[in-house]
Amino acid sequence: MIEPMKKVSIVLLNREREEALRNLRKIGLVHLEKLEGSSEKLSAFKESSNNATVTESVLGEIKLPKSRGIKQVLSNEETAQLCADVVAKSEEKKQLLEEISSDATELDRFASWGQVTNEDFDYLKEKGIALKMYEVPVEKYSQIEGQIQTLLVNKDKKTARFMIINGGEGRPENLLPEAFEVPLPRISTKFLEDEIKADEKKVSEIEAFFTEKAKFLSSVTAFKKNLERDIEFENVNAGMEHENAGSENDLAWISGYVPEACLEEFKASCAENKWAVAYADPEDDDLAVPTKLKNNKLVSLIYPLTDFLGTVPGYHEFDISGWFLLFFTIFFAMIFGDGGYGALVLILTLLLMLKSKASGKKIAPVFGLITLVSVATIIWGAVTCTWFGIPVNLLPDWLKNLSIPWISSAYEDTLWQVPWVSEVNGNAVGLTKSQNLQIFCFSLALVQLSVAHIKAAARNISLKNGLKAVGDIGSLMQLIGMFWVVLSMVVNSDVFPMLGSIGTVPVGKIEISLIAIGFVFSFVFANYEGSIGASILESCKNIISVLLGVVNVFSDIVSYIRLWAVGLAGAAISETVNTLAGPILGHAILFIAAIVLLVFGHGLNMILNLLSVIVHGVRLNTLEFCTHIGMAWSGVKFNPFSEKKSS
């Protein structure tokens, strides 16, 4: 659930502002409204923080030998100076590398000319011999007219290098257009070489400095964290509104949000600190209200995933954590699809948990989520008889007996008949294992998306907007009707006739009626805010989107077939790996190669499956489901002004 919040405003004496903020941070209950402070102190903190970030990045790239890897601690003043030195030397190193690159490029330009000394050119010019360097295709050199006095320096298969003697200030008029002048280097090539060596020496000295200071990385990290706290505090202090009358009784004030469950505790703290406080319920249009989720330990298993995704429901939206966890677990199991893979993940997770416990560390919450989804994967592998892609005929009978026949690989070739139709035109009609899995996928879509519309309708009813809930019911009716259309068009039209009947049940009329009536309900009431006419007008304004909405219901249901398709692809890869490795497993010489192939192939398949879970399993929850429930994930996580930041 999303914990109810109270919007609070605190008023205090301006001269006690800093002390009050320190006490407010000790209380640690208020999520402050966004403030943008400005002060010299804040600017200094930010500059130091930037220096620390750069230093942490630079020193973090250095791997020290174990004998030198002992962490050492500096004072804050020493760390600040170290960070400033590292930033300065980083800039110097960057400039030196640019100079080395530029000088090296210049040297490359004259690599075929040999040593070029600018001073020699200047000396000869003073003596009345002006020289200019040129290059021309080697076959063109002999065509240079005789009145142009040239001196050939060297040539290779492509280029002739020569100098023109006393050719004037500009380009000689009769010079071949293919010849181009080679400007003198910035300085003599010998000096360029010396500069490069000197710059490379300086770079080496800077890198040695970084290596020497890498032992202080832990001090830099701690310094940076302290600066983050200082920046947060000073930003609030500088951004806090206050009177400027110059009186001792000038007031300052600040606003934020406190969980309703903590309001009495907060009021008592305000009274103890002699602050005035006012509070009220947040307004419906208040977008700054933070979201604090409170669920049981099982539902909370989903938090590592939502934190990783950065998804936070808005304060006025739904907390779908439980539904997210339920369906994500199912989706994970279906996409991974292999009980053997699930067992491997479970064993590895348990070993890591035992290692953490043995070292006295707190077990990371993500291990709980991984344990849950790996157990679900084992169960799915058991009911579908899928174990490391091993052919069913090679599996023991007890594993086959664990499976559910109509979705089991052990019954791949079986045609499962349905009660209402056994044959059409003399041909047997039924459902294959793949079709049964497709039906399961579409049934998941029906259940999950129905939950979305039921929750949306219940919310509108609770807000005493019952007519808008009719629009949600209309969307639910379209969903149910379209479910049968999908089964008919994608799975089997003989088993699921779109327009016909099953016995005496006119399923065709029922599905069309549900879609039609649902569309009318949605068209009339989906935008209801007190006026049916205004709601209809709003639907008319967006008539294209409204009509496409019916098609979107179809596509959203069909979208769930990705669970079957991706799982099928993973199974095909694992079978291929086994096929490649199988023939060489029996050879003693090639046995190790076969093991390597199996480990690599199945390991790669597990990685691809994990990526598929992130792409597809998460998408169905955050896109299809949330689109139908009307969630935009517009929330801001509750983050109180506190000495100990919330995780």
Side-chain angles (χ1 to χ4, degrees), residues 324-343 345 369-387 407 437 440-441 444 562-568 570-571 609-610 612-614 616-618 620-621:
F324 198 136
L325 178 64
L326 171 63
F327 287 106
F328 176 77
T329 303
I330 297 172
F331 298 160
F332 186 101
M334 293 180 68
I335 290 173
F336 249 70
D338 193 298
Y341 289 176
V345 174
L369 177 61
I370 297 174
T371 300
L372 176 64
V373 296
S374 58
V375 169
T377 304
I378 295 172
I379 294 173
W380 182 256
V383 299
T384 58
C385 201
T386 309
W387 302 93
I407 58 172
L437 285 172
F440 184 75
C441 292
L444 280 175
R562 70 184 65 231
L563 299 170
W564 167 73
V566 176
L568 187 65
N609 285 341
L610 180 60
S612 297
V613 168
I614 295 173
H616 302 292
V618 170
L620 292 174
N621 278 294

Side-chain angles (χ1 to χ4, degrees), residues 109-130:
R109 191 161 65 90
F110 294 97
S112 300
W113 284 87
Q115 289 285 351
V116 178
T117 306
N118 294 21
E119 291 77 12
D120 291 345
F121 279 80
D122 294 337
Y123 174 77
L124 290 172
K125 188 174 182 180
E126 289 176 0
K127 298 300 182 180
I129 304 174

Side-chain angles (χ1 to χ4, degrees), residues 314-454:
Y315 179 73
H316 299 291
E317 293 183 338
F318 297 92
D319 175 18
I320 61 168
S321 300
W323 295 108
F324 198 136
L325 178 64
L326 171 63
F327 287 106
F328 176 77
T329 303
I330 297 172
F331 298 160
F332 186 101
M334 293 180 68
I335 290 173
F336 249 70
D338 193 298
Y341 289 176
L344 284 179
V345 174
L346 178 61
I347 292 170
L348 179 60
T349 303
L350 293 176
L351 289 175
L352 291 174
M353 292 170 69
L354 289 173
K355 182 180 178 182
S356 295
K357 195 170 184 65
S359 60
K361 296 180 181 178
K362 185 179 179 181
I363 296 177
V366 70
F367 287 142
L369 177 61
I370 297 174
T371 300
L372 176 64
V373 296
S374 58
V375 169
T377 304
I378 295 172
I379 294 173
W380 182 256
V383 299
T384 58
C385 201
T386 309
W387 302 93
F388 293 113
I390 298 173
V392 175
N393 61 307
L394 299 180
L395 292 173
D397 289 339
W398 67 270
L399 278 181
K400 298 177 188 178
N401 295 334
L402 289 176
S403 64
I404 298 176
W406 57 275
I407 58 172
S408 171
S409 298
Y411 300 87
E412 185 76 47
D413 300 324
T414 303
L415 191 67
W416 299 93
Q417 292 187 336
V418 294
W420 57 86
V421 58
S422 58
E423 63 178 37
V424 174
N425 297 326
N427 296 319
V429 174
L431 297 170
T432 64
K433 169 229 174 185
S434 293
Q435 289 175 329
N436 287 332
L437 285 172
Q438 292 172 21
I439 294 171
F440 184 75
C441 292
F442 298 143
S443 298
L444 280 175
L446 178 63
V447 172
Q448 187 176 31
L449 301 183
S450 294
V451 167
H453 291 296
I454 291 170

